[in-house]
Amino acid sequence: MSDAAGEERPVCATCGSTPADPEAAALARLTWSRGTENGREVWTCAACSRRHLRSIEGKLDPAWW
Ligand SMILES: [Zn+2]
């Protein structure tokens, strides 16, 4: 485990997954959904975004959140 200074890896707010290496982190920043919640930056990984998209397309289910 090493914490590279100045490098922030996004963490999925839904499933808690995080990119395993800097390369994956850079990719995640492009492919994950970024939002803001209470002034904080929140990320949703591609897999969760897809699942949310489906639930949103069907019907908005508050239980999901
Ligand atoms: Zn996720």
Side-chain angles (χ1 to χ4, degrees):
M1 283 299 195
S2 64
D3 278 340
E7 178 198 313
E8 283 183 41
R9 296 182 193 178
V11 180
C12 178
T14 304
C15 69
S17 73
T18 190
D21 52 59
E23 219 168 282
L27 186 67
R29 289 181 170 280
L30 298 175
T31 57
W32 290 22
S33 302
R34 191 176 74 170
T36 310
E37 210 170 79
N38 300 324
R40 284 188 318 154
E41 195 177 68
V42 292
W43 290 88
T44 304
C45 75
C48 289
S49 297
R50 206 169 302 150
R51 287 166 71 184
H52 284 178
L53 199 65
R54 279 178 59 184
S55 69
I56 289 167
E57 278 174 353
K59 61 171 182 179
L60 208 58
D61 186 359
W64 250 97
W65 309 89

